[in-house]
Amino acid sequence: MTRAEWIRAMAVGLALIGGAAAPSTSRAHDGPHSHGHDHPGEAPAEAAGPKYPTGLILPPIDGPKPWSDAPHLNHPDRFHIAIMTDRTGGHRPGIWEKGVEKVNLLRPEFVVSVGDLIEGYTEEVPEIERQWEEFLGFIETMEMKFFFVPGNHDLTNPTMHRIWREHFGREWYSFDYKGVHFVAINSEDPQQHLGEEQLAWLEEDLAAHADARWTLLFLHKPLWTYAEREMAAGNPDPTNWKRVEAMLGDRPHTVFAGHVHHYVQYDRNGMNYYHLATTGGGSQLRGVPYGEFDHVTWLTMEPDGPRVSHLLLDGVLAPDTVTEKGIARFREFLTDASVQVAPILITEGEGLDEGRIDVRLANDFDVPVTVSGRIEGLPLRGLTVDPASLELTAEPGEAAELSVRVAFGEPIPFEALAGTVFTATITGEAAEGEAPLKAEQAVPVVIDRGYTISPADHDVALDGRLDEWESLRNGLPSPPMILGAAESWTGPGDADLSFDLAYDDEMLYLAARVLDEAVVPGEDRLEVLWDPRPMDRRVSDPRFARGGHRFTIPAPAPNGDEASDALEVGRRRDGPTIEGARAASRQIEGGYEVELAMPLSALAEAQDGADWSSFQLSVVVSDVDESGAEPARVLWRGTRDVDRSNARFGHFVRRP
């Protein structure tokens, strides 16, 4: 396409989509005004300079286009406003100010309130003035126009009515913007009531603006609920709200109120009425299902009426919420301030009746760090936890420890303890010019059986013969977990497993016997999943790929006295294939036997050269009944995510 053709195409696009910019002939009312609306705002003078197209100009493309067919939302009657609700009635310091910060980020055309801006409830003039001075200081930081609406905390008594009028003039007023009529009324006239003077004004005001494309009405108390409650009891309406509804009639309108500190949307005669939650007022903040949250209401006025949404304050973020420098320091904080929970590994019995959970805070960060939290997820059968909650503080370069005693009325099986966690909040003291650092963590608490492992009491020949192994102490549970073609596993006679472990100065040995009535060489196989990382690392990050090794020994073919040395060694994602591992396997009557040697150097490397004390391991038998079939994978321990997570692997503990 030539430049001339492109310019012509742009002109066509402009004509079809938006048209050229034209000088505005309308004037927007700027600020509140009432009755005859005798104070219209002045339209800004047109800036000199070139005119630019206002439409969306899309290049002509034949065939499919990289945009959707939905309309471009650029209607000239569309606009956005924010509505802020109760600040007081048990205000929580800082929340309203946060709301102002968020509104400044959102850039509405203006902001409307629904009252309760100060605490009030006093006739002491200096105190009332102090409260208004404080609030007006908040408004000075708002970067767009703010419309005041009075609440019961703002107009508690005649003195406060007088001061309101001195500061703000009218207690009820209206204004217009882009064909929408805004009405602010006073629900405290005198209290939970609309007086005759206000009603007369409202009737005249609404009649004068009967042609408004929509009417938005703002007041503090949701008077419709009070009126309906009284009328349901057979009493007359004490609020005069029903007279307001009659004045509104069938004109398109929406009503916003506050006061009750929880959010509800109502439908009245096909119109939406809202009482809003809080922007800092007293609240239990139990969450969205209760309607208890701090928010700013966002109203988008469309040609066919308003679209209303509610923005939780914590969900509106400034662009510098996370900076390169800030995220680097936070990551350093997460690395250098660590919470460790020592495991409870029980080598005798099948459960826990009493134990001690040791929690340690290690602070290698540059400011003091505090951790607080609770042990959660324990069964409640006669449970005692002492202390119930804990707090530790460590100075830079130091550590702090605390023990938690756990006792039950009866022994609890290990399976019931698998969900135990220490829920912790870690807080770093604020450095100069910075905000405090805070992180939430759920640290798993390992309470499990410990499988002891001892030095080998014989030289391991690694010949696939298990004669020198006195016993194989570990066997499949009943029933085991089966993955894959679970229906093909018919029981222990189909594929059964027993195994044991030992070590010498150089190697960790595993001996296993698989009983299988129909061995399929090369397709039946034994998998050994080994996570040699330190306890705290493998518990806090159970992803097997982070540090685990997989050894796969295919079932051997019948070969007399000759042993097969076939071994497949899985590659770690973040490290090389383990060197020096060896295997030997032999087919026996009714199955096959395996010996596997894993170098202790890999264990020492994974534990940063420390003298090792434990590791995690599981064994999986893959069994097929005929060549080419999908295998049934029979797990000694683990979960359905056994290939990716060490969860429920056995903990093997070096015997002292």
Side-chain angles (χ1 to χ4, degrees):
M1 178 181 292
T2 66
R3 178 175 176 81
E5 290 172 331
W6 172 254
I7 293 173
R8 285 195 296 272
M10 293 278 277
V12 171
L14 175 62
L16 292 176
I17 297 172
S24 173
T25 58
S26 63
R27 290 191 173 189
H29 293 303
D30 183 22
H33 55 279
S34 63
H35 301 284
H37 301 271
D38 51 353
H39 301 287
E42 294 296 328
E46 288 188 52
K51 298 296 184 182
Y52 295 100
T54 60
L56 177 67
I57 302 173
L58 302 174
I61 296 178
D62 294 331
K65 299 176 177 61
W67 52 77
S68 73
D69 293 330
H72 168 215
L73 297 181
N74 67 333
H75 196 283
D77 290 336
R78 178 179 292 105
F79 62 87
H80 308 277
I81 70 167
I83 305 167
M84 297 180 71
T85 181
D86 295 46
R87 168 183 171 259
T88 56
H91 76 279
R92 289 165 285 119
I95 305 301
W96 178 274
E97 298 93 299
K98 181 190 289 187
V100 172
E101 293 173 2
K102 306 303 185 182
V103 164
N104 285 341
L105 291 172
L106 294 167
R107 319 301 295 167
E109 278 143 272
F110 53 84
V111 182
V112 185
S113 77
V114 290
D116 273 6
L117 308 175
I118 64 172
E119 284 292 354
Y121 279 87
T122 178
E123 295 185 359
E124 298 295 326
V125 172
E127 175 59 19
I128 299 170
E129 293 287 7
R130 184 200 67 78
Q131 292 182 20
W132 277 120
E133 182 179 359
E134 177 189 40
F135 182 77
L136 292 173
F138 303 148
I139 298 305
E140 285 179 1
T141 66
M142 187 174 284
E143 298 172 3
M144 62 288 302
K145 191 175 295 300
F146 179 82
F147 290 92
F148 293 78
V149 172
N152 55 294
H153 281 260
D154 310 316
L155 300 180
T156 309
N157 52 55
T159 300
M160 296 189 71
H161 277 269
R162 176 178 59 79
I163 292 175
W164 174 282
R165 287 182 176 270
E166 289 174 359
H167 279 293
F168 312 117
R170 301 179 173 101
E171 294 178 2
W172 53 83
Y173 59 93
S174 67
F175 63 95
D176 299 284
Y177 185 61
K178 293 191 176 181
V180 176
H181 190 52
F182 290 75
V183 181
I185 62 176
N186 176 17
S187 63
E188 304 306 296
D189 181 23
Q191 182 182 25
Q192 212 161 283
H193 179 267
L194 301 171
E196 292 299 328
E197 180 185 355
Q198 183 176 189
L199 289 170
W201 168 83
L202 181 62
E203 185 172 26
E204 180 181 343
D205 179 83
L206 292 175
H209 296 85
D211 59 348
R213 64 183 176 106
W214 208 273
T215 297
L216 300 176
L217 192 147
F218 302 85
L219 73 164
H220 180 61
K221 288 182 179 175
L223 294 185
W224 66 91
T225 63
Y226 299 91
E228 291 165 1
R229 184 167 58 245
E230 291 294 330
M231 295 174 70
N235 302 319
D237 171 17
T239 69
N240 281 333
W241 176 258
K242 287 300 176 180
R243 291 171 62 181
V244 174
E245 285 192 338
M247 296 175 194
L248 290 167
D250 59 359
R251 67 193 291 151
H253 65 276
T254 307
V255 179
F256 295 93
H259 183 66
V260 292
H261 293 205
H262 67 272
Y263 172 79
V264 179
Q265 174 184 275
Y266 296 82
D267 183 301
R268 293 295 180 269
N269 303 316
M271 295 291 132
N272 286 326
Y273 289 16
Y274 299 91
H275 62 60
L276 307 180
T278 50
T279 316
S283 174
Q284 296 184 58
L285 296 179
R286 289 176 292 180
V288 172
Y290 295 88
E292 295 174 359
F293 44 80
D294 286 316
H295 69 116
V296 170
T297 294
W298 188 256
L299 186 149
T300 300
M301 179 55 67
E302 297 283 0
D304 61 347
R307 303 288 192 275
V308 174
S309 59
H310 305 285
L311 310 178
L312 304 185
L313 297 190
D314 289 341
V316 182
L317 303 178
D320 62 352
T321 298
V322 180
T323 63
E324 184 178 16
K325 178 182 177 182
I327 194 63
R329 179 164 175 77
F330 185 67
R331 287 170 178 161
E332 182 182 358
F333 168 65
L334 293 179
T335 301
D336 293 349
S338 62
V339 178
Q340 301 154 3
V341 181
I344 300 177
L345 296 178
I346 300 170
T347 57
E348 300 293 336
E350 297 297 327
L352 172 73
D353 57 0
E354 184 173 351
R356 189 184 76 184
I357 299 174
D358 295 322
V359 180
R360 183 174 187 267
L361 168 63
N363 182 17
D364 293 326
F365 200 51
D366 57 13
V367 298
V369 172
T370 297
V371 60
S372 59
R374 303 172 64 90
I375 305 294
E376 297 182 340
L378 292 167
L380 301 178
R381 287 176 257 176
L383 172 64
T384 300
V385 179
D386 184 25
S389 59
L390 58 87
E391 183 170 304
L392 295 169
T393 298
E395 296 295 320
E398 297 182 357
E401 297 180 355
L402 183 67
S403 295
V404 179
R405 177 181 172 271
V406 177
F408 298 94
E410 60 185 76
I412 303 298
F414 295 124
E415 293 77 8
L417 302 169
T420 306
V421 296
F422 173 48
T423 57
T425 299
I426 307 171
T427 306
E429 187 175 292
E432 185 176 353
E434 297 181 354
L437 297 168
K438 182 178 288 189
E440 308 290 335
Q441 287 190 10
V443 183
V445 178
V446 176
I447 305 175
D448 204 349
R449 177 178 175 181
Y451 298 86
T452 58
I453 176 172
S454 303
D457 57 5
H458 57 275
D459 293 333
V460 180
L462 208 72
D463 55 6
R465 296 180 183 274
L466 306 188
D467 300 339
E468 68 269 33
W469 293 81
E470 291 185 1
S471 64
L472 302 179
R473 295 176 294 168
N474 307 300
L476 290 177
S478 181
M481 178 176 287
I482 313 294
L483 304 181
E487 69 283 353
S488 69
W489 186 77
T490 58
D494 194 6
D496 200 3
L497 167 71
S498 56
F499 73 95
D500 209 345
L501 292 130
Y503 65 93
D504 61 19
D505 292 340
E506 295 184 356
M507 291 287 183
L508 173 67
Y509 299 100
L510 179 140
R513 180 177 294 116
V514 178
L515 299 182
D516 187 346
E517 58 190 7
V519 176
V520 180
E523 296 185 49
D524 285 331
R525 53 188 54 216
L526 186 77
E527 300 173 65
V528 178
L529 310 178
W530 183 36
D531 192 338
R533 294 176 296 165
M535 170 71 77
D536 61 335
R537 204 175 303 165
R538 64 180 189 258
V539 168
S540 62
D541 185 357
R543 288 173 290 182
F544 185 66
R546 289 290 182 181
H549 301 282
R550 180 190 303 272
F551 304 92
T552 304
I553 301 99
N559 199 21
D561 290 337
E562 292 295 321
S564 169
D565 61 1
L567 172 65
E568 300 171 13
V569 181
R571 187 180 187 88
R572 283 177 52 185
R573 192 180 77 176
D574 57 352
T577 300
I578 190 169
E579 298 292 340
R582 294 178 291 126
S585 60
R586 297 164 51 89
Q587 192 171 135
I588 61 173
E589 184 177 352
Y592 57 98
E593 294 179 337
V594 170
E595 286 183 306
L596 171 67
M598 299 167 280
L600 286 181
S601 58
L603 185 56
E605 179 186 358
Q607 303 209 7
D608 302 322
D611 193 18
W612 66 276
S613 60
S614 72
F615 56 82
Q616 278 180 271
L617 180 140
S618 189
V619 183
V620 181
V621 176
S622 286
D623 177 64
V624 297
D625 292 331
E626 57 184 30
S627 181
E630 179 186 1
R633 300 181 70 207
V634 187
L635 275 60
W636 172 65
R637 289 197 57 168
T639 66
R640 294 192 175 278
D641 203 26
V642 67
D643 295 309
R644 290 179 291 274
S645 171
N646 65 25
R648 302 293 298 152
F649 281 20
H651 293 270
F652 286 84
V653 182
R654 184 178 186 177
R655 188 184 296 276

